[in-house]
Amino acid sequence: MPISLGSAFIKNFLGKAPDWYKIAIIVFLIINPMVFFFIDPFIAGWLLVAEFIFTLAMALKCYPLQPGGLLAIEAIAIGMTSPDQVKHELVANIEVLLLLMFMVAGIYFMKNLLLFIFTKILLGIRSKLMLSMAFCITAAFLSGFLDALTVIAVIISVAVGFYAIYHRVASGQPSALSHDHTHDEQLSELTREDLENYRAFLRSLLMHAGVGTALGGVMTMVGEPQNLIIADHAGWLFGEFFIRMSPITIPVFFCGGVTCLLVEHFKIFGYGAQLPTNVRQILMDFDNETRMNRTQQDRAKLWVQALIAIWLITGLALHLAAVGIIGLSVIILATSFSGIVEEHALGKAFEEALPFTALLAVFFSIVAVIIDQQLFTPIIHGVLHIEDKGTQLALFYVANGLLSMVSDNVFVGTVYISEVQSALEHGLISRDQFDLLAVAINTGTNLPSVATPNGQAAFLFLLTSALAPLIRLSYGRMVFMALPYTLVMSLVGLSCVILLLDPMTSYFYEMGWITHHSLKSAVITMGH
C-alpha cells in the first residue's frame, strides 16, 4: 500500500531507529530553544549535554552522529555557541582527529602481524585468568607509549579477525581452513550456546584491554591527549611526569590487576566466559592452515610490518611527530612494501575510523557549548576557594572524575588545568600546590572516566565500532562491566591523593628526582 509524502518523510527520518527514539529526538529539538530563550541558557546547556549523552547511550539503536549532529546544529543556530568556537575546538584537537583518520587506518594495514601475534597469545595461554591479565597488562604497557585510541584500534582489529574466522565456519562460507569435510562435522556441533559464550569471551577480553589502556595511559605524558596538555602547562618532561604520577598510578595499576583476576575467578559482572572448545579448534585449524599455506611474500609482509611496528613505537614514545602524522607514515610504508597500490584497497582502511571522526567533531561542538555557557565554571571556582589544601586536592580529583564520567576527559583536563594556571598567575595558589593539583587533575580525568564510554575516547570508539553489535557490547553492558574497575580505580586513586600524594612528592624533592619549578617557567610554558 503506497504511503503519503508526509509519511515518507517521517519514515526516512533516522531510518530504522525505533519510533519512540525518533519522537524523543524531535522533542529535544523542540524543547531546547524554549529553555534557552525563555528559562535559562545555563540550564539549556546542561540539558543539551544530557541529551547528547542519551544519543551515545542509544548508539546501537541509531549511530550518534545523526541525532547528536542535529542537536549540535540547532545549538549553533540558536546561539548557544558559534561556528568560530566550534572551529577553535576542532583546531585545538587536530591531533586527535589526525590520529583517528590516519593511525587507525595505519593499524588496518598491519592487521596480519597483529592477528599472528594475538592468535599465538590466545591459543598459547589456556588459562582465562592469565589470558585476561595478558590482555590487560599488554594494553597498559602499550598505552604508556602509544595513545589509548591507537591501542584499542589494535585490539578491535584483532577481535574482528577472531570473529571473522569463526563466522566463516559457523555460516558455512568457504574458507582456507581445510580442504576436507571435517568442518562440516564441526559446524553441526556449533550451538547457540557456543556463539553466546564466544561473544562473552571476546567482550571480557576487550573490556580488560580497554581498562588496561586507562591504567597505562594515566602514567605517562603521551598516554592520553590531556596528559600532554597538562605536562606542557606544568613544564614536565617524560620522566618527571611519570614520577609525579607514580604515588597514585602505581597502586591503582596493581589494584586494577587484582580486580581483573577477581572478576574472572568469581565470574561476576559479565566476566569469566571461557573460549568454547569448538571455537578453539577452529582457531587452531586456521592457525595451522595459515602457517602451512604462508608464502615467501606473506613472510616478507610480516617482516615489514614488524619493522614498521618498531618505528611506530619508537616514533610515538619519543614524540618524533604528531600521532596522526606517524600514522600516515605507517600507511605509506605498509602499503608500499605490501603491494597495495589501488585506491579502492586503500579506502577500506578508512571505513571504520571516519564515521567516528565525524562523531568526534560533533562532540567538540557540544564542548564549544560547554565553554560558551560556562557550565563547569561554578564547580571550578567553588573548589579553588576552599582553603584546606588536602581537601582541595581531593575535591579536584572527585570533581574531575565526576565530570569526566559524563564529558570528554580531554576537555575536562584542559579546562581544569587552564583554570588552575590562571589561579597560579593571580597568586591564589603556590607553585607547589599547582603541581599537586595538576597530578590530581590528570589522575581524576583518567581513572574514574572508565565508568562510561563518554569519558574515555577509547571506550566510545569501541562502542561505536562495527565489532560492538557483533559481540552484543551495548552502552549499558559496558557500564556494567566497567563498574568493578570504576569503583576500585576511583577509590584507590582518591585514597592515594589524600594519603600519599603530598608526602611522596616531598620525598621525591628530597631525593632530587624532581625539582621545584618557578612561576615564571610555568607562565612561559603556557605561552608556548
Side-chain angles (χ1 to χ4, degrees), residues 88-371:
H88 173 77
E89 290 304 312
L90 292 174
V91 171
N93 291 280
I94 187 65
E95 286 202 29
V96 179
L97 298 175
L98 288 176
L99 179 148
L100 283 170
M101 286 189 286
F102 296 134
M103 182 60 78
V104 176
I107 295 301
Y108 175 88
F109 293 112
M110 297 178 65
K111 63 181 180 181
N112 290 336
L113 175 66
L114 298 169
L115 190 57
F116 172 80
I117 293 172
F118 279 90
T119 299
K120 297 300 182 185
I121 295 175
L122 184 68
L123 299 179
I125 303 176
R126 287 186 171 269
S127 167
K128 180 65 186 305
L129 282 176
M130 294 300 101
L131 185 62
S132 300
M133 282 297 293
F135 267 72
C136 185
I137 292 174
T138 301
F141 175 78
L142 291 176
S143 295
F145 297 95
L146 314 179
D147 184 86
L149 274 174
T150 304
V151 177
I152 208 66
V154 170
I155 304 298
I156 289 174
S157 298
V158 170
V160 168
F162 287 155
Y163 194 87
I165 294 167
Y166 163 78
H167 186 264
R168 282 202 298 268
V169 175
S171 62
Q173 297 177 6
S175 69
L177 288 175
S178 179
H179 300 290
D180 55 34
H181 299 287
T182 57
H183 290 283
D184 291 337
E185 297 174 4
Q186 282 189 339
L187 184 58
S188 64
E189 296 171 5
L190 291 171
T191 64
R192 174 62 57 179
E193 185 179 359
D194 282 336
L195 175 60
E196 293 304 321
N197 286 338
Y198 189 40
R199 284 170 171 164
F201 175 81
L202 290 177
R203 281 198 303 267
S204 62
L205 290 184
L206 281 165
M207 288 301 295
H208 289 313
V211 172
T213 63
L215 290 171
V218 68
M219 291 186 176
T220 67
M221 61 183 288
V222 296
E224 293 278 0
Q226 73 269 21
N227 298 19
L228 191 59
I229 295 169
I230 291 169
D232 283 343
H233 278 250
W236 299 336
L237 298 179
F238 191 95
E240 182 173 0
F241 186 96
F242 177 83
I243 292 172
R244 285 184 178 275
M245 298 298 157
S246 62
I248 301 169
T249 57
I250 299 299
V252 168
F253 175 80
F254 283 108
C255 291
V258 172
T259 305
C260 176
L261 293 175
L262 290 176
V263 295
E264 283 292 338
H265 177 73
F266 291 104
K267 298 182 179 181
I268 53 177
F269 292 97
Y271 296 98
Q274 300 292 324
L275 179 63
T277 304
N278 289 330
V279 180
R280 175 180 288 277
Q281 188 60 47
I282 290 172
L283 296 177
M284 290 179 67
D285 289 348
F286 171 82
D287 185 48
N288 292 333
E289 195 72 19
T290 301
R291 187 177 65 254
M292 292 171 59
N293 294 333
R294 189 172 289 129
T295 65
Q296 288 296 90
Q297 277 187 297
D298 294 331
R299 292 187 179 91
K301 290 177 182 178
L302 289 176
W303 276 108
V304 166
Q305 290 177 19
L307 292 174
I308 294 172
I310 294 173
W311 148 244
L312 174 64
I313 294 175
T314 303
L316 290 173
L318 300 178
H319 204 64
L320 299 179
V323 177
I325 303 302
I326 295 176
L328 180 58
S329 73
V330 169
I331 294 174
I332 294 170
L333 292 171
T335 54
S336 298
F337 290 95
S338 297
I340 302 173
V341 293
E342 296 84 7
E343 183 179 1
H344 70 274
L346 291 171
K348 293 179 181 178
F350 295 89
E351 291 178 359
E352 178 74 18
L354 286 184
F356 185 75
T357 306
L359 174 61
L360 205 61
V362 171
F363 191 93
F364 289 135
S365 302
I366 305 300
V367 169
V369 172
I370 293 174
I371 291 176

Side-chain angles (χ1 to χ4, degrees), residues 378-528:
I379 301 172
I380 296 171
H381 286 174
V383 174
L384 277 177
H385 281 84
I386 294 175
E387 294 184 0
D388 183 72
K389 304 305 179 185
T391 304
Q392 196 178 84
L393 288 175
L395 288 177
F396 255 85
Y397 176 89
V398 171
N400 273 268
L402 292 175
L403 291 174
S404 292
M405 289 180 185
V406 299
S407 181
D408 178 57
N409 55 6
V410 178
F411 163 72
V412 174
T414 303
V415 170
Y416 266 77
I417 196 64
S418 299
E419 292 287 344
V420 172
Q421 181 79 53
S422 176
L424 172 64
E425 293 172 6
H426 289 87
L428 298 178
I429 58 175
S430 66
R431 174 61 212 226
D432 286 347
Q433 183 67 4
F434 169 86
D435 290 336
L436 294 175
L437 288 172
V439 175
I441 291 169
N442 186 72
T443 52
T445 54
N446 276 285
L447 299 178
S449 58
V450 300
T452 69
N454 309 88
Q456 286 279 346
F459 276 28
L460 186 60
F461 184 55
L462 173 58
L463 176 67
T464 56
S465 70
L467 178 64
L470 295 179
I471 62 174
R472 305 296 188 265
L473 186 59
S474 63
Y475 187 100
R477 181 167 268 163
M478 286 188 75
V479 171
F480 178 71
M481 295 183 72
L483 182 58
Y485 283 111
T486 302
L487 294 174
V488 171
M489 292 166 62
S490 301
L491 295 177
V492 172
L494 177 60
S495 300
C496 292
V497 167
I498 295 172
L499 301 175
L500 297 180
L501 180 56
D502 197 4
M504 288 298 293
T505 301
S506 299
Y507 174 76
F508 294 151
Y509 282 134
E510 293 174 6
M511 296 297 293
W513 295 349
I514 57 176
T515 58
H516 290 276
H517 294 268
S518 65
L519 171 60
K520 181 180 179 181
S521 68
V523 175
I524 290 174
T525 303
M526 179 63 182
H528 286 299

